[in-house]
PDB file of all heavy atoms in Angstrom:
ATOM      1  N   PRO A   1      -9.941  86.145 -27.053  1.00 98.00           N
ATOM      2  CA  PRO A   1      -9.158  85.456 -28.088  1.00 98.00           C
ATOM      3  C   PRO A   1     -10.057  84.902 -29.193  1.00 98.00           C
ATOM      4  O   PRO A   1     -11.135  84.375 -28.919  1.00 98.00           O
ATOM      5  CB  PRO A   1      -8.476  84.304 -27.319  1.00 98.00           C
ATOM      6  CG  PRO A   1      -8.768  84.541 -25.872  1.00 98.00           C
ATOM      7  CD  PRO A   1      -9.997  85.378 -25.808  1.00 98.00           C
ATOM      8  N   MET A   2      -9.620  85.041 -30.425  1.00 98.00           N
ATOM      9  CA  MET A   2     -10.294  84.477 -31.587  1.00 98.00           C
ATOM     10  C   MET A   2      -9.238  84.018 -32.580  1.00 98.00           C
ATOM     11  O   MET A   2      -8.096  84.495 -32.541  1.00 98.00           O
ATOM     12  CB  MET A   2     -11.197  85.505 -32.282  1.00 98.00           C
ATOM     13  CG  MET A   2     -12.396  85.971 -31.513  1.00 98.00           C
ATOM     14  SD  MET A   2     -13.409  87.081 -32.566  1.00 98.00           S
ATOM     15  CE  MET A   2     -14.663  87.589 -31.387  1.00 98.00           C
ATOM     16  N   LEU A   3      -9.636  83.147 -33.484  1.00 98.00           N
ATOM     17  CA  LEU A   3      -8.753  82.827 -34.590  1.00 98.00           C
ATOM     18  C   LEU A   3      -8.540  84.093 -35.427  1.00 98.00           C
ATOM     19  O   LEU A   3      -9.423  84.951 -35.504  1.00 98.00           O
ATOM     20  CB  LEU A   3      -9.343  81.714 -35.431  1.00 98.00           C
ATOM     21  CG  LEU A   3      -9.411  80.332 -34.742  1.00 98.00           C
ATOM     22  CD1 LEU A   3     -10.168  79.340 -35.618  1.00 98.00           C
ATOM     23  CD2 LEU A   3      -8.016  79.814 -34.428  1.00 98.00           C
ATOM     24  N   PRO A   4      -7.371  84.245 -36.053  1.00 98.00           N
ATOM     25  CA  PRO A   4      -7.043  85.522 -36.700  1.00 98.00           C
ATOM     26  C   PRO A   4      -8.072  86.034 -37.690  1.00 98.00           C
ATOM     27  O   PRO A   4      -8.423  87.219 -37.661  1.00 98.00           O
ATOM     28  CB  PRO A   4      -5.704  85.217 -37.379  1.00 98.00           C
ATOM     29  CG  PRO A   4      -5.075  84.183 -36.497  1.00 98.00           C
ATOM     30  CD  PRO A   4      -6.220  83.317 -36.048  1.00 98.00           C
ATOM     31  N   GLN A   5      -8.578  85.176 -38.571  1.00 98.00           N
ATOM     32  CA  GLN A   5      -9.532  85.662 -39.568  1.00 98.00           C
ATOM     33  C   GLN A   5     -10.811  86.153 -38.910  1.00 98.00           C
ATOM     34  O   GLN A   5     -11.357  87.199 -39.281  1.00 98.00           O
ATOM     35  CB  GLN A   5      -9.841  84.583 -40.600  1.00 98.00           C
ATOM     36  CG  GLN A   5     -10.688  85.082 -41.759  1.00 98.00           C
ATOM     37  CD  GLN A   5     -10.964  84.007 -42.786  1.00 98.00           C
ATOM     38  OE1 GLN A   5     -11.462  82.926 -42.468  1.00 98.00           O
ATOM     39  NE2 GLN A   5     -10.620  84.290 -44.042  1.00 98.00           N
ATOM     40  N   ALA A   6     -11.296  85.429 -37.906  1.00 98.00           N
ATOM     41  CA  ALA A   6     -12.511  85.844 -37.202  1.00 98.00           C
ATOM     42  C   ALA A   6     -12.271  87.135 -36.433  1.00 98.00           C
ATOM     43  O   ALA A   6     -13.141  88.016 -36.376  1.00 98.00           O
ATOM     44  CB  ALA A   6     -12.962  84.737 -36.250  1.00 98.00           C
ATOM     45  N   ALA A   7     -11.083  87.282 -35.853  1.00 98.00           N
ATOM     46  CA  ALA A   7     -10.745  88.503 -35.121  1.00 98.00           C
ATOM     47  C   ALA A   7     -10.755  89.708 -36.047  1.00 98.00           C
ATOM     48  O   ALA A   7     -11.333  90.752 -35.729  1.00 98.00           O
ATOM     49  CB  ALA A   7      -9.377  88.342 -34.470  1.00 98.00           C
ATOM     50  N   ALA A   8     -10.135  89.558 -37.214  1.00 98.00           N
ATOM     51  CA  ALA A   8     -10.095  90.665 -38.174  1.00 98.00           C
ATOM     52  C   ALA A   8     -11.484  91.009 -38.679  1.00 98.00           C
ATOM     53  O   ALA A   8     -11.821  92.185 -38.855  1.00 98.00           O
ATOM     54  CB  ALA A   8      -9.176  90.300 -39.329  1.00 98.00           C
ATOM     55  N   ARG A   9     -12.303  90.000 -38.909  1.00 97.00           N
ATOM     56  CA  ARG A   9     -13.650  90.227 -39.410  1.00 97.00           C
ATOM     57  C   ARG A   9     -14.499  90.972 -38.381  1.00 97.00           C
ATOM     58  O   ARG A   9     -15.347  91.801 -38.745  1.00 97.00           O
ATOM     59  CB  ARG A   9     -14.305  88.884 -39.763  1.00 97.00           C
ATOM     60  CG  ARG A   9     -15.628  89.017 -40.511  1.00 97.00           C
ATOM     61  CD  ARG A   9     -16.265  87.662 -40.778  1.00 97.00           C
ATOM     62  NE  ARG A   9     -15.347  86.756 -41.454  1.00 97.00           N
ATOM     63  CZ  ARG A   9     -14.943  85.583 -40.962  1.00 97.00           C
ATOM     64  NH1 ARG A   9     -15.387  85.173 -39.777  1.00 97.00           N
ATOM     65  NH2 ARG A   9     -14.119  84.823 -41.641  1.00 97.00           N
ATOM     66  N   ALA A  10     -14.254  90.718 -37.091  1.00 98.00           N
ATOM     67  CA  ALA A  10     -15.091  91.304 -36.036  1.00 98.00           C
ATOM     68  C   ALA A  10     -14.673  92.716 -35.654  1.00 98.00           C
ATOM     69  O   ALA A  10     -15.408  93.413 -34.961  1.00 98.00           O
ATOM     70  CB  ALA A  10     -15.045  90.413 -34.801  1.00 98.00           C
ATOM     71  N   ALA A  11     -13.503  93.167 -36.109  1.00 98.00           N
ATOM     72  CA  ALA A  11     -12.934  94.418 -35.615  1.00 98.00           C
ATOM     73  C   ALA A  11     -13.144  95.586 -36.575  1.00 98.00           C
ATOM     74  O   ALA A  11     -13.337  95.407 -37.778  1.00 98.00           O
ATOM     75  CB  ALA A  11     -11.445  94.229 -35.357  1.00 98.00           C
ATOM     76  N   ASP A  12     -13.052  96.785 -36.010  1.00 96.00           N
ATOM     77  CA  ASP A  12     -13.039  98.013 -36.805  1.00 96.00           C
ATOM     78  C   ASP A  12     -11.614  98.366 -37.217  1.00 96.00           C
ATOM     79  O   ASP A  12     -11.386  98.921 -38.282  1.00 96.00           O
ATOM     80  CB  ASP A  12     -13.616  99.181 -35.998  1.00 96.00           C
ATOM     81  CG  ASP A  12     -14.991  98.895 -35.460  1.00 96.00           C
ATOM     82  OD1 ASP A  12     -15.872  98.510 -36.262  1.00 96.00           O
ATOM     83  OD2 ASP A  12     -15.206  99.030 -34.241  1.00 96.00           O
ATOM     84  N   VAL A  13     -10.676  98.076 -36.319  1.00 98.00           N
ATOM     85  CA  VAL A  13      -9.264  98.379 -36.529  1.00 98.00           C
ATOM     86  C   VAL A  13      -8.465  97.099 -36.314  1.00 98.00           C
ATOM     87  O   VAL A  13      -8.706  96.370 -35.339  1.00 98.00           O
ATOM     88  CB  VAL A  13      -8.768  99.462 -35.553  1.00 98.00           C
ATOM     89  CG1 VAL A  13      -7.273  99.695 -35.712  1.00 98.00           C
ATOM     90  CG2 VAL A  13      -9.531 100.757 -35.759  1.00 98.00           C
ATOM     91  N   ILE A  14      -7.545  96.820 -37.210  1.00 98.00           N
ATOM     92  CA  ILE A  14      -6.697  95.639 -37.110  1.00 98.00           C
ATOM     93  C   ILE A  14      -5.253  96.095 -36.940  1.00 98.00           C
ATOM     94  O   ILE A  14      -4.758  96.909 -37.736  1.00 98.00           O
ATOM     95  CB  ILE A  14      -6.823  94.729 -38.352  1.00 98.00           C
ATOM     96  CG1 ILE A  14      -8.253  94.184 -38.471  1.00 98.00           C
ATOM     97  CG2 ILE A  14      -5.837  93.577 -38.289  1.00 98.00           C
ATOM     98  CD1 ILE A  14      -9.153  94.991 -39.367  1.00 98.00           C
ATOM     99  N   ILE A  15      -4.584  95.600 -35.910  1.00 98.00           N
ATOM    100  CA  ILE A  15      -3.182  95.915 -35.671  1.00 98.00           C
ATOM    101  C   ILE A  15      -2.359  94.675 -36.011  1.00 98.00           C
ATOM    102  O   ILE A  15      -2.575  93.600 -35.439  1.00 98.00           O
ATOM    103  CB  ILE A  15      -2.932  96.326 -34.209  1.00 98.00           C
ATOM    104  CG1 ILE A  15      -3.729  97.599 -33.875  1.00 98.00           C
ATOM    105  CG2 ILE A  15      -1.442  96.548 -33.950  1.00 98.00           C
ATOM    106  CD1 ILE A  15      -3.642  98.019 -32.423  1.00 98.00           C
ATOM    107  N   LEU A  16      -1.427  94.817 -36.945  1.00 98.00           N
ATOM    108  CA  LEU A  16      -0.581  93.709 -37.369  1.00 98.00           C
ATOM    109  C   LEU A  16       0.706  93.724 -36.559  1.00 98.00           C
ATOM    110  O   LEU A  16       1.515  94.653 -36.677  1.00 98.00           O
ATOM    111  CB  LEU A  16      -0.275  93.814 -38.860  1.00 98.00           C
ATOM    112  CG  LEU A  16      -1.483  93.814 -39.794  1.00 98.00           C
ATOM    113  CD1 LEU A  16      -1.019  93.985 -41.242  1.00 98.00           C
ATOM    114  CD2 LEU A  16      -2.301  92.534 -39.643  1.00 98.00           C
ATOM    115  N   ALA A  17       0.887  92.699 -35.735  1.00 98.00           N
ATOM    116  CA  ALA A  17       2.057  92.593 -34.857  1.00 98.00           C
ATOM    117  C   ALA A  17       2.684  91.218 -35.029  1.00 98.00           C
ATOM    118  O   ALA A  17       2.730  90.416 -34.100  1.00 98.00           O
ATOM    119  CB  ALA A  17       1.653  92.838 -33.404  1.00 98.00           C
ATOM    120  N   LEU A  18       3.168  90.979 -36.235  1.00 97.00           N
ATOM    121  CA  LEU A  18       3.680  89.659 -36.614  1.00 97.00           C
ATOM    122  C   LEU A  18       5.151  89.746 -36.987  1.00 97.00           C
ATOM    123  O   LEU A  18       5.614  90.786 -37.454  1.00 97.00           O
ATOM    124  CB  LEU A  18       2.903  89.134 -37.831  1.00 97.00           C
ATOM    125  CG  LEU A  18       1.403  88.901 -37.643  1.00 97.00           C
ATOM    126  CD1 LEU A  18       0.707  88.911 -38.997  1.00 97.00           C
ATOM    127  CD2 LEU A  18       1.175  87.576 -36.925  1.00 97.00           C
ATOM    128  N   PRO A  19       5.894  88.658 -36.818  1.00 96.00           N
ATOM    129  CA  PRO A  19       7.258  88.638 -37.374  1.00 96.00           C
ATOM    130  C   PRO A  19       7.183  88.738 -38.893  1.00 96.00           C
ATOM    131  O   PRO A  19       6.310  88.129 -39.526  1.00 96.00           O
ATOM    132  CB  PRO A  19       7.799  87.265 -36.935  1.00 96.00           C
ATOM    133  CG  PRO A  19       6.896  86.805 -35.837  1.00 96.00           C
ATOM    134  CD  PRO A  19       5.552  87.418 -36.110  1.00 96.00           C
ATOM    135  N   TRP A  20       8.088  89.507 -39.489  1.00 95.00           N
ATOM    136  CA  TRP A  20       8.022  89.732 -40.924  1.00 95.00           C
ATOM    137  C   TRP A  20       8.124  88.434 -41.713  1.00 95.00           C
ATOM    138  O   TRP A  20       7.512  88.282 -42.777  1.00 95.00           O
ATOM    139  CB  TRP A  20       9.116  90.697 -41.345  1.00 95.00           C
ATOM    140  CG  TRP A  20       9.036  91.066 -42.799  1.00 95.00           C
ATOM    141  CD1 TRP A  20       9.864  90.681 -43.807  1.00 95.00           C
ATOM    142  CD2 TRP A  20       8.021  91.881 -43.420  1.00 95.00           C
ATOM    143  NE1 TRP A  20       9.444  91.214 -45.004  1.00 95.00           N
ATOM    144  CE2 TRP A  20       8.317  91.958 -44.792  1.00 95.00           C
ATOM    145  CE3 TRP A  20       6.903  92.571 -42.926  1.00 95.00           C
ATOM    146  CZ2 TRP A  20       7.543  92.674 -45.692  1.00 95.00           C
ATOM    147  CZ3 TRP A  20       6.137  93.287 -43.832  1.00 95.00           C
ATOM    148  CH2 TRP A  20       6.453  93.339 -45.192  1.00 95.00           C
ATOM    149  N   GLY A  21       8.853  87.460 -41.201  1.00 94.00           N
ATOM    150  CA  GLY A  21       9.038  86.217 -41.932  1.00 94.00           C
ATOM    151  C   GLY A  21       7.760  85.430 -42.168  1.00 94.00           C
ATOM    152  O   GLY A  21       7.691  84.631 -43.098  1.00 94.00           O
ATOM    153  N   VAL A  22       6.753  85.639 -41.338  1.00 96.00           N
ATOM    154  CA  VAL A  22       5.484  84.920 -41.506  1.00 96.00           C
ATOM    155  C   VAL A  22       4.357  85.857 -41.937  1.00 96.00           C
ATOM    156  O   VAL A  22       3.210  85.426 -42.084  1.00 96.00           O
ATOM    157  CB  VAL A  22       5.069  84.190 -40.205  1.00 96.00           C
ATOM    158  CG1 VAL A  22       6.168  83.238 -39.754  1.00 96.00           C
ATOM    159  CG2 VAL A  22       4.729  85.181 -39.089  1.00 96.00           C
ATOM    160  N   ALA A  23       4.682  87.128 -42.127  1.00 97.00           N
ATOM    161  CA  ALA A  23       3.635  88.126 -42.324  1.00 97.00           C
ATOM    162  C   ALA A  23       2.813  87.886 -43.584  1.00 97.00           C
ATOM    163  O   ALA A  23       1.584  87.993 -43.547  1.00 97.00           O
ATOM    164  CB  ALA A  23       4.249  89.526 -42.357  1.00 97.00           C
ATOM    165  N   GLU A  24       3.443  87.583 -44.690  1.00 98.00           N
ATOM    166  CA  GLU A  24       2.687  87.497 -45.949  1.00 98.00           C
ATOM    167  C   GLU A  24       1.589  86.444 -45.871  1.00 98.00           C
ATOM    168  O   GLU A  24       0.424  86.734 -46.174  1.00 98.00           O
ATOM    169  CB  GLU A  24       3.618  87.198 -47.119  1.00 98.00           C
ATOM    170  CG  GLU A  24       2.858  87.118 -48.451  1.00 98.00           C
ATOM    171  CD  GLU A  24       3.758  86.974 -49.653  1.00 98.00           C
ATOM    172  OE1 GLU A  24       4.974  86.794 -49.477  1.00 98.00           O
ATOM    173  OE2 GLU A  24       3.238  87.051 -50.803  1.00 98.00           O
ATOM    174  N   SER A  25       1.941  85.244 -45.467  1.00 98.00           N
ATOM    175  CA  SER A  25       0.933  84.186 -45.410  1.00 98.00           C
ATOM    176  C   SER A  25      -0.131  84.491 -44.355  1.00 98.00           C
ATOM    177  O   SER A  25      -1.322  84.272 -44.579  1.00 98.00           O
ATOM    178  CB  SER A  25       1.583  82.831 -45.135  1.00 98.00           C
ATOM    179  OG  SER A  25       2.291  82.856 -43.905  1.00 98.00           O
TER     180      SER A  25
END
């Protein structure tokens, strides 16, 4: 587990699995 920004920074591939209502922010 990591905070989202750190997780995205550490990865080669990012999978977005968020509810659309909160996705933009």
Side-chain angles (χ1 to χ4, degrees):
M2 293 185 184
L3 292 173
Q5 187 179 54
R9 189 183 306 120
D12 305 307
V13 176
I14 297 95
I15 298 175
L16 301 177
L18 298 158
W20 185 252
V22 303
E24 181 174 7
S25 59

